[in-house]
Structures are given as C-alpha cells and as structure tokens.
C-alpha cells in the first residue's frame, strides 16, 4: 500500500505529501516521483505464483530540495512476521527522518538512531522476526550507504562504471569481497541466503559507507535479493546506466521475473519477492566554461 505520509512526522506539508512508504500491501507497486533532488522510480512485486503477501518494502523520504533518503527492506523468510519486521523498520525510518531538520545536517545520526530504534521494536515482537535493510542518503550531490543484511546498494555512471556497491552480510558476500568466490559461484552457492546480520537481533550492526560523489547522470539502485539473485551485475548495470529511469525500473522487473520462471544452467533463477528503487539526480545548470562531470 502506498501511504502519502505519516501524520505528525513533520510540520512541512510538502514533505508530508511527498514521503512514501511501500509496505507490500499493493501488488505490484509502481510509482515514479519527481523530487527537487532528482527522479525516483519504485517497483515492488511478489514472487511469481506466491499466495502470501509481498514481504519486501520500500521508502522514499524527501528531506529538502537537494536531499532524499531511500530505503529497501526485505522481511527474512523463515522467520515469523518477517513482513511486519520490514514494515516496522521502514515506518520508523520514515518517522524519524521526517522529523530531521530540513537542512539535512543531522541525517547520518538520525538514520543510525532510526535503525537502532527499529531493531529494538522488532526484537520486542518476541517471535524471532527479522528483516534486511538498505538505506541510501543522497544529499548535496553525494550518496552514502547504510545497510544490514543482503539487500544491496549500487551507484553506476552513465558509461557503466560501478562507483558504489556494498558487501552483503552473508558467507558468500564476504567470500566474494575477499576474492575467494566469483559472482557465478556465489549465485549458486547453498549458503547464499545464510545471513550473518539482520534487523531484529541483539548483535545487529549497521555498516556505514563513505560518501561517494554523484556525477550528473549517475544512477543509484537499491534492491532486494529478488533482483540480484536473478540478474548478474553486468546485466542490471547495462539496464540502469542510461535511458528513462521509469523504463529501466520496468525492465529490471520484467527481466528478473522472467528469469524466476525459467530455470537454466546459463543464468541464475530464484523466485522471490522483488523490490527496486532507482534514483537519478536532476540536471543541474552548468556554469560557463564548466566541463561535464566524469561518468
């Protein structure tokens, strides 16, 4: 379900109007937003032939004309009330970021406090519920990542250069980071979905990335594992690096869900809920004599 805002989260009516939560109630979720900071495309669909609700969720939280916080959460399968854990986490993040000062100076501490608060609330359910979380703070032409679990964050230049990626908190994620396993081996490994870090545990940790500068046409992608289990990195990079943002989001969903229904030795295939959030900054006026930023 798409919520147009949370009452009382901020006194600025424009920010209340543009904040969005996607909590798995609407299938599929398909929304394109034009914010002061850039364009955002959100797509969320449940796994093919799945009869239970979508356990993924997403949030788009504008802060001011140059800042927005984006998030994807994936309720952990095999735990009770994983979908509720994802919804709690996204709601808490939206509420606390929505109260942040509109200058965005305190966003880092607010995001960290929100994730910690969400962890406490999920733990308080007392049923072992858990969720992953990927957050991108986009402000002043930079992106900073925050993540727990294996939902992923990428930043890609117009020419296809990967500028930002996070390491999934799983045995295969760490093995790939260490150069002990390649992408194809990780995609087919039995422990790919064994998570070492989730929201809903006493020892949860938040991995915070360094700020990465965004060039004019860079694209930021947040995704649940429904995408990265079914498309290789070079495939989704080629899709998102150029062209209309909404069309790229649609193609990601089309290609990944098609893979989910066709097992093959040539490509990965794993039916799962799928959520993607794409961001691309709006074109900024260029000063006389100023060159184009590299991509």
């Amino acid at each position: 379900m798409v919520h147009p805002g949370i009452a009382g989260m901020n006194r600025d009516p424009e920010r209340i109007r543009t904040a969005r939560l996607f909590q798995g109630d609407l299938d599929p979720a398909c929304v394109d937003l034009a914010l002061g900071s850039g364009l955002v495309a959100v797509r969320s669909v449940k796994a093919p032939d799945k009869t239970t609700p979508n356990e993924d969720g997403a949030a788009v939280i504008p802060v001011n004309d140059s800042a927005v916080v984006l998030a994807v959460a994936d309720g952990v399968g095999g735990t009770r009330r994983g979908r509720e854990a994802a919804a709690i986490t996204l709601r808490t993040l939206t509420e606390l970021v929505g109260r942040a000062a509109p200058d965005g100076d305190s966003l880092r501490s607010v995001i960290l406090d929100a994730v910690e608060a969400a962890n406490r609330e999920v733990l308080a359910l007392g049923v072992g519920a858990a969720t992953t979380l990927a957050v991108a703070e986009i402000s002043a032409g930079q992106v900073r990542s925050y993540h727990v679990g294996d939902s992923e964050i990428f930043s890609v230049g117009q020419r296809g250069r990967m500028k930002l990626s996070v390491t999934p908190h799983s045995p295969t994620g760490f093995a790939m980071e260490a150069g002990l396993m390649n992408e194809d081996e990780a995609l087919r490994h039995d422990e790919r979905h064994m998570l070492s870090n989730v929201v809903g545990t006493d020892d949860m940790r938040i991995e915070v990335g360094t700020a990465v500068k965004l060039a004019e046409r860079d694209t930021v992608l947040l995704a649940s594992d429904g995408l990265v289990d079914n498309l290789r990195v070079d495939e989704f990079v080629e899709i998102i690096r150029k062209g209309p943002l909404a069309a790229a989001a649609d193609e990601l969903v089309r290609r990944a869900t098609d893979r989910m229904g066709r097992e093959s030795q040539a490509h990965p295939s794993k039916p799962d809920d799928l959520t993607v959030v794409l961001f691309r900054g709006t074109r900024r006026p260029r000063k006389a004599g100023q060159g184009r930023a590299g991509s």
Side-chain angles (χ1 to χ4, degrees):
M1 182 175 184
V2 182
H3 300 269
I6 297 178
M9 77 176 193
N10 193 277
R11 290 193 179 124
D12 184 339
E14 182 64 16
R15 289 174 68 188
I16 292 173
R17 185 183 69 81
T18 56
R20 295 289 189 272
L21 277 172
F22 306 84
Q23 297 181 302
D25 298 331
L26 183 65
D27 185 38
C30 177
V31 174
D32 301 305
L33 300 170
L35 307 177
S37 53
L39 303 176
V40 179
V42 180
R43 304 289 186 270
S44 185
V45 299
K46 65 182 181 181
D49 301 323
K50 183 180 179 182
T51 57
T52 54
N54 186 348
E55 293 183 294
D56 286 0
V60 178
I61 315 163
V63 177
N64 55 41
D65 283 346
S66 64
V68 63
V69 173
L70 308 172
V72 165
D74 179 357
V76 176
T79 67
R80 292 179 59 192
R81 296 162 71 177
R83 176 174 174 271
E84 185 176 353
I88 286 171
T89 300
L90 292 169
R91 186 195 69 230
T92 303
L93 181 71
T94 302
E95 289 175 342
L96 294 187
V97 172
R99 296 180 191 140
D103 59 17
D105 286 345
S106 60
L107 278 178
R108 176 172 173 150
S109 61
V110 169
I111 291 169
L112 293 175
D113 288 347
V115 180
E116 293 286 0
N119 190 57
R120 292 191 295 271
E121 191 169 346
V122 173
L123 275 169
L125 294 175
V127 295
T131 183
T132 70
L133 178 66
V135 178
E137 172 199 342
I138 299 171
S139 178
Q142 295 183 320
V143 57
R144 186 189 301 275
S145 63
Y146 306 75
H147 80 288
V148 181
D150 66 351
S151 291
E152 301 208 43
I153 307 169
F154 304 91
S155 176
V156 177
Q158 192 174 14
R159 297 174 183 170
R161 183 165 72 90
M162 185 74 74
K163 300 183 177 182
L164 165 68
S165 64
V166 300
T167 299
H169 296 152
S170 66
T172 57
F174 295 128
M176 285 185 65
E177 183 183 38
L180 302 175
M181 186 178 295
N182 64 34
E183 184 181 16
D184 281 339
E185 290 170 335
L187 282 169
R188 301 177 189 278
H189 199 279
D190 291 341
E191 295 185 352
R192 177 169 177 80
H193 298 101
M194 183 181 295
L195 299 178
S196 60
N197 186 29
V198 290
V199 177
T201 55
D202 290 321
D203 59 352
M204 180 209 71
R205 66 189 185 281
I206 307 163
E207 185 169 337
V208 183
T210 58
V212 175
K213 186 175 181 180
L214 293 173
E216 188 176 87
R217 298 291 294 170
D218 286 358
T219 302
V220 177
L221 165 66
L222 290 77
S224 65
D225 56 5
L227 178 74
V228 293
D229 282 352
N230 292 284
L231 292 183
R232 294 182 177 88
V233 171
D234 62 339
E235 293 179 299
F236 68 71
V237 165
E238 183 60 27
I239 292 169
I240 69 173
R241 70 183 181 88
K242 60 183 180 180
L245 199 68
D250 291 339
E251 180 62 13
L252 289 176
V253 173
R254 187 199 68 77
R255 189 89 61 92
T257 52
D258 180 62
R259 288 276 176 87
M260 291 181 195
R262 295 190 299 114
E263 290 191 16
S264 169
Q265 291 297 318
H267 58 69
S269 174
K270 182 185 180 295
D272 200 355
D273 298 335
L274 165 63
T275 297
V276 297
V277 177
L278 290 175
F279 170 89
R280 189 177 292 152
T282 51
R283 187 178 297 275
R284 298 185 292 274
R286 196 175 299 137
K287 296 178 182 178
Q290 181 180 5
R292 184 172 180 173
S295 58

